Amino acid sequence: MPDDDRRAKLERLREQGVDPFPHAFPGVQPSASVHAAHDDLEDGGETDVDYRVAGRLAARRGHGGSAFLDVVDRSGRIQIQARRDVLGEEPFDRLVSLDLGDIVGIDGTAFSSRRGELTLRATDWTLLAKSLAPPPDKFHGLEDTETRYRRRELDLIANEETRELFILRSRVVAAVRRWLDDRGFLEVETPVLQPLYGGGHARPFTTHHNSLGRDLYLRIATELYLKRLIVGGLERVYEIGKDFRNEGLSPKHNPEFTVLEFYEAYADYVDIATKLEELVSFVAAEIGYGGEIDFSPPWRRVSLRDAIEEATGVDVLAHRDRDALVTAAAQRGIDLAPGDTWPQLVDELLSKHVERELHDPTFIVDYPVELSPLAKTHRSQPGLVERFECFAGGMEFANAFTELNDPDEQRARFEEQRRYTAEGDDQAQPYDEDFVRALEQGMPPTGGIGVGIDRLVMLLSGRRSIREVVLFPAMR
């Protein structure tokens, strides 16, 4: 909340003819570039090089005719020396009376203090924004988790680690784009508001368009529109954007999340797996990843059937209906919800008994067709499709198919999804006639993938909760 003393200072500044909120301050250089330019300056060394920096006042010390101030910008922190004999009486007094949290612009000359700290000797300064609320405790940072997530601006002000994390996230996304652009993929945009949701197994958010007089859905995936672009001949496309799923909150789930999807004509899921290995290892190298996960290719591959059987002793393909699978699991001491569909039960076995044990990147491959209504039938194993999910750090972060491009088969799969909806699966894929009509134009053999950007950042930053890597996560 605004502070009475700060507001009083604001009014005094205005009475003195000082604009506490000027329009601009051109020519600012990042503090990190000032530091970099003088890495070799000896202790106590002087220069005649002038700089203009700006940032938030984070600390102040000294007395009499000299004071030192710390100014923080996105790139780091720089020390400012304020001297009465350089600035003059009134400017000096006004500068050293600023409140912590005020945003200030400094013109000054670089030198090294006797302790070897690069410093700017202020020759002029400008108040850029008067802070009416005190900053978080500078000694303890902002530690309350609830406040950090709800007031991310305070978290960024108080915690350098948080600033570094979201700079890292930006670098991850930039590296992903660079890798795809360099390989001939076109970045595209598809609708966020859709007349029919699809491309994922989830409940949508529904909204109403007043002019059209109809309900629309926030997309749960970009998949079906991107594949229509493959039909149109764009051949290699990708989109990085927000998807929305009306689901609960967890360390791995936020209802609004960021996904990369890319599709490549004339490729299959084997090609896409190779590309994912190359992409993630490239991004890890670009950001200087040094964590515990080994992203170097090749990654382990294991079938869904074998992965579940190794973890539980249950062969899901030998028990291909709901009741048989529930009984087989019970014989192994595993309780499954008898009201769920067979695909839901298989997914539960995977997520509860396999996923959390997968530390280094692992491809779980070759899924039952019932779990994958948009994937192409396996070329050699009846009843399966060419699909993989990729797991690392105990969570799934990518999902890929050899894409189903037979319109008649796709229509039949949609009809099967209607049966699962009737059995109580409210997350089943709805029937999308527009997508089937697009397939009837002819879609070449295609491989495609969705990669969770938030989860990828979690893996590359060592964070265990998605709320850590989303600037403004959903809160209860």
Side-chain angles (χ1 to χ4, degrees), residues 447-465:
I449 189 169
V451 181
I453 293 295
D454 307 306
R455 293 186 182 182
L456 180 60
V457 174
M458 288 172 64
L459 295 172
L460 293 172
S461 65
R463 299 310 197 275
R464 302 304 301 171
S465 171

Side-chain angles (χ1 to χ4, degrees), residues 249-403:
L249 306 179
S250 83
K252 296 185 291 186
H253 296 90
N254 193 64
E256 175 183 354
F257 57 100
T258 303
V259 176
L260 158 71
E261 291 199 34
F262 69 83
Y263 292 82
E264 179 179 3
Y266 315 114
D268 63 11
Y269 77 144
V270 177
D271 300 316
I272 297 299
T274 300
K275 281 188 165 57
L276 180 64
E277 290 174 327
E278 294 174 354
L279 169 61
V280 174
S281 59
F282 170 81
V283 173
E286 285 290 288
I287 66 166
Y289 175 77
E292 298 178 353
I293 299 174
D294 181 7
F295 289 109
S296 57
W299 298 346
R300 178 183 175 228
R301 287 159 169 76
V302 59
S303 73
L304 175 78
R305 178 184 200 171
D306 290 345
I308 293 177
E309 189 167 13
E310 288 171 8
T312 67
V314 177
D315 182 349
V316 295
L317 297 187
H319 305 88
R320 205 70 183 248
D321 68 77
R322 176 170 58 190
D323 294 339
L325 186 55
V326 169
T327 300
Q331 292 171 350
R332 298 284 181 173
I334 299 171
D335 291 328
L336 295 177
D340 285 349
T341 65
W342 186 84
Q344 287 176 312
L345 297 177
V346 174
D347 187 66
E348 181 179 339
L349 288 170
L350 176 65
S351 61
K352 290 187 176 180
H353 299 278
V354 178
E355 178 173 347
R356 62 190 177 190
E357 304 301 325
L358 301 176
H359 177 72
D360 286 336
T362 302
F363 292 111
I364 303 296
V365 303
D366 301 339
Y367 281 52
V369 64
E370 294 91 336
L371 272 73
S372 312
L374 300 167
K376 197 172 183 68
T377 302
H378 201 285
R379 67 196 76 184
S380 63
Q381 299 187 53
L384 302 184
V385 294
E386 295 191 346
R387 173 188 178 186
F388 71 74
E389 289 184 292
C390 195
F391 298 80
M395 65 182 173
E396 176 256 329
F397 73 96
N399 181 29
F401 314 144
T402 302
E403 303 296 338

Side-chain angles (χ1 to χ4, degrees), residues 402-420:
T402 302
E403 303 296 338
L404 177 57
N405 60 343
D406 180 338
D408 295 332
E409 175 67 15
Q410 184 64 79
R411 185 175 281 110
R413 300 273 192 91
F414 282 153
E415 291 289 356
E416 186 178 35
Q417 290 294 299
R418 282 178 170 170
R419 177 170 65 84
Y420 292 132

Side-chain angles (χ1 to χ4, degrees), residues 35-313:
H35 281 282
H38 299 286
D39 275 344
D40 56 353
L41 189 61
E42 62 185 15
D43 295 358
E46 297 278 346
T47 81
D48 58 0
V49 185
D50 295 327
Y51 294 97
R52 168 170 279 196
V53 298
R56 193 175 296 276
L57 182 60
R60 180 180 55 241
R61 54 205 171 273
H63 58 277
S66 179
F68 288 92
L69 307 92
D70 290 346
V71 171
V72 175
D73 64 9
R74 191 183 79 184
S75 70
R77 179 183 298 253
I78 192 163
Q79 179 170 266
I80 307 298
Q81 183 194 55
R83 286 173 40 177
R84 190 184 302 274
D85 62 344
V86 175
L87 289 170
E89 292 282 343
E90 186 177 339
F92 174 83
D93 290 339
R94 194 176 291 150
L95 176 58
V96 298
S97 68
L98 291 178
D99 290 310
L100 297 185
D102 288 351
I103 298 175
V104 62
I106 301 289
D107 293 297
T109 306
F111 73 98
S112 177
S113 71
R114 286 177 293 178
R115 295 183 177 181
E117 182 169 358
L118 185 71
T119 306
L120 291 187
R121 182 175 295 116
T123 56
D124 197 6
W125 71 276
T126 303
L127 178 63
L128 301 178
K130 179 63 187 168
S131 173
L132 296 180
D137 187 327
K138 67 176 181 177
F139 295 108
H140 300 100
L142 184 65
E143 297 177 344
D144 181 72
T145 300
E146 188 86 1
T147 303
R148 287 181 56 231
Y149 297 156
R150 292 188 186 277
R151 299 286 311 275
R152 186 67 85 180
E153 68 278 10
L154 298 182
D155 187 20
L156 291 165
I157 290 171
N159 297 321
E160 183 178 355
E161 184 179 358
T162 300
R163 295 196 298 273
E164 291 175 349
L165 171 60
F166 286 103
I167 291 170
L168 173 71
R169 179 185 172 116
S170 180
R171 292 175 59 209
V172 167
V173 174
V176 167
R177 278 198 167 94
R178 188 160 57 250
W179 190 91
L180 290 162
D181 292 342
D182 288 347
R183 284 153 185 81
F185 285 85
L186 300 176
E187 184 172 11
V188 297
E189 294 177 308
T190 60
V192 174
L193 282 176
Q194 300 180 346
L196 184 67
Y197 62 95
H201 198 74
R203 288 185 295 270
F205 288 96
T206 306
T207 187
H208 187 76
H209 193 295
N210 292 330
S211 295
L212 295 179
R214 62 181 298 187
D215 285 344
L216 296 172
Y217 305 95
L218 294 178
R219 68 186 181 195
I220 63 171
T222 56
E223 177 174 350
L224 302 187
Y225 281 93
L226 290 173
K227 286 195 282 193
R228 288 166 67 175
L229 300 181
I230 296 291
V231 171
L234 293 187
E235 296 184 350
R236 289 188 178 194
V237 294
Y238 77 93
E239 182 168 8
I240 299 173
K242 293 285 190 179
D243 289 344
F244 306 84
R245 298 187 179 183
N246 201 344
E247 58 192 10
L249 306 179
S250 83
K252 296 185 291 186
H253 296 90
N254 193 64
E256 175 183 354
F257 57 100
T258 303
V259 176
L260 158 71
E261 291 199 34
F262 69 83
Y263 292 82
E264 179 179 3
Y266 315 114
D268 63 11
Y269 77 144
V270 177
D271 300 316
I272 297 299
T274 300
K275 281 188 165 57
L276 180 64
E277 290 174 327
E278 294 174 354
L279 169 61
V280 174
S281 59
F282 170 81
V283 173
E286 285 290 288
I287 66 166
Y289 175 77
E292 298 178 353
I293 299 174
D294 181 7
F295 289 109
S296 57
W299 298 346
R300 178 183 175 228
R301 287 159 169 76
V302 59
S303 73
L304 175 78
R305 178 184 200 171
D306 290 345
I308 293 177
E309 189 167 13
E310 288 171 8
T312 67

